[in-house]
Amino acid sequence: MSENNQWGSRLGFILATVGSAVGLGNIWRFSYVAYENGGGAFLIPYLVALLTTGIPLLILEFGFGTKMRGSTVLAYKKLSSKWEWIGWWPVISVFILLTYYIVIVSWSLKYIFYAFNQAWGSNPEGFFYGTNLKLTSGIESLGGVNLTVLISVVALWAINYFIVYNGIEKGIEKASKIFMPLLAFLMLIITIRGITLPGAVTGINKFLNPDFSQLLNSKVWLAAYGQIFFTLSVCFGVMITYASYLPKDSDVVNNSFITALANCAFSFIVGIGVFGILGYMATHSGVPLEEVVTQSIGLAFIAFPKAINMLPAFNTLFGVLFFSALVIAGISSSISMVEAVVKPLNDKFGWSRKKAATVVAVLGVLGSLIFTTGAGLYFLDIIDYFNMQFGIVTIGILQCIAIGWIYKSTKLREFFNPVSNFQIGSWWDFTIKYLTPLVLGIMLILSFISEIKDGYGDYPITGLRIGWLVALAALALAIILSSVKWRKEE
């Protein structure tokens, strides 16, 4: 199989990048963040963040990948051998992310089967933490491996392996052309059902009702930038790797706008559907909306099963569709992350796609094991926090410095502007060199201050040490791998 395969079409590339960006967070995080930060007014800082950080970073990664023709590691190696470790850091971080992200998708896979008879019964919360996860009392109590979760995890790693093993055009592009239209169709059905339920308007009004006073709150703006940064799959090594398979004359700017706007439109439409369903729950239960609104896994695996129980009809169908959508969104994102790990192994060590994909899948299953135990949720929560808040944000800052200042953003802009229908000016250089690293730097500093002052959650110091250890180990391994000799001088 050729290692230099390319996207078969521009549509395939766009669907794959949108599939990478649209993940579980779009379904269960955006609507809650908007609700908590000014409702409809939140869309103003969200749009500003999209235009000043999200799209500029996508343009940077699409342009850098197309120009350098390689994985994140090879791209930074071509920039300078001393910067290669910056290419390895997101590869290691995204592999760590994969080990627990796939576990979350595995819960969704299990819930498809639970939905057929509403196995969660009248107490979805107790069912999720008890019967489903067999959650222990704390991180110190590991518990045994949850066999059903492990089986689901192995199945999902196998799916990812099969898709990535088949390459870009025959594997990832073909899968994206199936997954993304199907995901859009499923979420459209769920959203239409959500907004037509009795009381849905109450929830949608709460979601969209603007509180413009919140625009004076700096935390709201930081929340907007954080949401944009984490939802677009930037600084994960994914978009640089995906763009390396594009023809050199590809329209970098338009591709970036299309990917970013499609991702945000998906989040917004799903948010309306989610709050329509929450509004129905509040009306049906006779309680304020605030009592049913929740975020993250609580929304997907506790609030929605409660809503499914309350539906006047088609409970099973709605449940199967919802959790199927979660699984499809999860897989479309995970295959992009697997590719972002496989390609550097091919570039650096000359491994075939088959060998690299096999090694990643086997190590991935082993890495996922800790998250399938009774204490898995605790490990997941801690490692995700430190990996994302400190690792990925720092990578974003370093990327802006390396490409904006060392490689020169002007030089990259002169590469992609001639082949793009829409020309971008010096405002882009300003965002990459100054604005984006400034915002990310503020986010990083505030996370450090919060960690030092309050810790994270109610975890004991041992748990927090694990989080720091994993985050620092990713950096150390990146430096070690960058010192390994290449198979040949590129």
Side-chain angles (χ1 to χ4, degrees), residues 146-294:
N146 188 324
L147 189 58
T148 56
V149 174
L150 178 59
I151 292 171
S152 301
V153 165
V154 172
L156 288 166
W157 270 111
I159 292 170
N160 277 271
Y161 167 79
F162 177 76
I163 293 171
V164 173
Y165 164 77
N166 278 288
I168 299 303
E169 184 177 356
K170 295 181 180 179
I172 297 174
E173 180 171 346
K174 185 176 292 185
S176 299
K177 286 182 175 179
I178 296 171
F179 288 154
M180 295 318 297
L182 181 57
L183 177 61
F185 176 70
L186 292 177
M187 293 313 302
L188 188 61
I189 293 176
I190 292 168
T191 299
I192 292 173
R193 181 57 178 151
I195 63 178
T196 55
L197 288 168
V201 174
T202 302
I204 296 171
N205 283 341
K206 280 284 187 179
F207 172 50
L208 296 178
N209 185 39
D211 179 4
F212 291 108
S213 66
Q214 291 289 333
L215 296 181
L216 301 176
N217 187 343
S218 60
K219 290 184 178 180
V220 171
W221 287 84
L222 284 173
Y225 275 91
Q227 177 65 22
I228 285 292
F229 180 75
F230 289 119
T231 193
L232 287 177
S233 293
V234 290
C235 304
F236 286 4
V238 170
M239 297 308 187
I240 292 176
T241 302
Y242 268 9
S244 72
Y245 298 115
L246 283 171
K248 272 206 169 185
D249 59 351
S250 297
D251 191 332
V252 168
V253 178
N254 274 353
N255 287 345
S256 303
F257 272 89
I258 293 169
T259 299
L261 293 175
N263 171 75
C264 295
F266 182 91
S267 297
F268 180 71
I269 292 170
V270 170
I272 292 176
V274 166
F275 267 80
I277 293 167
L278 294 177
Y280 167 73
M281 285 179 65
T283 302
H284 187 274
S285 305
V287 299
L289 185 74
E290 291 76 11
E291 292 189 20
V292 299
V293 173
T294 184

